Amino acid sequence: MSRWYIIHAYSGFENKVKEAILADASRLGLEQLVEAIEVPTEKVTEVRRGKKVTSDRKFFPGYVLAKLSMNDDVYHLVRNTPKVTGFLGASGKPQPISEAEAARILNTKEEAAVAAPKTKVKVDFDIGDQVKVLDGPFASFNGLVEELDFDRSRVKVAVSIFGRATPVELEFEQVERVK
C-alpha cells in the first residue's frame, strides 16, 4: 500500500532529486513502488522593470513529497539518491503523513496554479519609496508611493503636478522604483 512521505533534500535541488529517484526506480525495476513524486510550488507574480513576470516558487524549499510503497529497496533507493539527506521523521526513519495532509499540500499547489487572482504579487517598491511612472498620461513623472493594493495590483502615487502633490492610481507594472 502506497503512503505519502516527505523527503528532505538539499535546497535548490528538489527537481533534480525528483528526476533522479524516478530514473533510478525505472533502472532498478521499482517504478511500480514509486507512485508519485511532487515538488510543492506556487505561482508568484512579480513586477520587474515595469513588467509582470510569473514564476514558480517552492513553498517547502528543501522538501519533496513522494507516494511510495515502502520496503527496504525503496528506502535505500531514496536514501542513496544524491542530494537527499533523509526522510522527515524521528531519527531519519520514514514517517508517513496522512492522505489528508498530502492532499492539503498538493491542493494548495493546484489552487495557486488555477486561481490567478490568488497568486502572490511581489513588487520591488514599498510605501514611501520614490518611483518613476513608465507609461500613461503621467509617463516620466516621479512620485512617492502612498498605498499598495495587492488585491487589485494597483499603487497610489503622489505625483507633483504644478507644484502640488496629486494622488494618481496606477497598475504595478506602470511604475518602477528610482534607484
Side-chain angles (χ1 to χ4, degrees):
M1 180 178 111
S2 294
R3 307 270 314 262
W4 284 101
Y5 295 89
I6 299 178
I7 300 168
H8 189 260
Y10 289 3
S11 189
F13 290 93
E14 297 89 349
N15 289 321
K16 289 189 188 290
V17 165
K18 174 184 174 179
E19 293 165 10
I21 291 172
L22 290 172
D24 287 349
S26 176
R27 184 175 52 82
L28 297 171
L30 300 173
E31 58 267 312
Q32 73 278 7
L33 300 175
V34 178
E35 198 170 306
I37 299 181
E38 298 289 334
V39 177
T41 58
E42 63 185 344
K43 296 265 186 224
V44 177
T45 303
E46 297 180 86
V47 178
R48 291 189 202 145
R49 295 190 183 142
K51 295 196 178 7
K52 275 188 183 178
V53 178
T54 303
S55 59
D56 285 331
R57 182 179 70 96
K58 296 174 184 82
F59 64 87
F60 285 138
Y63 294 98
V64 178
L65 269 70
K67 190 165 189 177
L68 309 168
S69 294
M70 187 61 69
N71 64 20
D72 286 343
D73 292 334
V74 173
Y75 174 80
H76 290 295
L77 164 78
V78 173
R79 283 289 302 165
N80 294 330
T81 301
K83 311 292 186 221
V84 169
T85 58
F87 285 92
L88 199 65
S91 67
K93 292 183 178 150
Q95 181 71 39
I97 61 172
S98 68
E99 197 71 37
E101 181 70 14
R104 185 186 65 76
I105 293 169
L106 297 176
N107 284 341
T108 302
K109 181 183 105 172
E110 289 164 9
E111 285 170 8
V114 171
K118 291 190 176 185
T119 59
K120 295 181 182 176
V121 177
K122 187 175 162 188
V123 292
D124 66 346
F125 47 84
D126 206 355
I127 294 173
D129 285 350
Q130 183 87 16
V131 293
K132 179 180 179 182
V133 180
L134 299 174
D135 70 343
F138 300 101
S140 78
F141 278 77
N142 284 359
L144 288 175
V145 176
E146 289 184 334
E147 290 179 25
L148 294 171
D149 186 351
F150 289 98
D151 295 333
R152 294 177 32 221
S153 295
R154 311 235 351 132
V155 60
K156 189 179 281 187
V157 179
V159 178
S160 178
I161 302 173
F162 303 120
R164 293 187 69 186
T166 307
V168 178
E169 194 169 296
L170 303 162
E171 293 186 15
F172 284 154
E173 60 266 9
Q174 288 181 288
V175 298
E176 80 176 351
R177 192 171 99 191
V178 177
K179 291 168 170 75

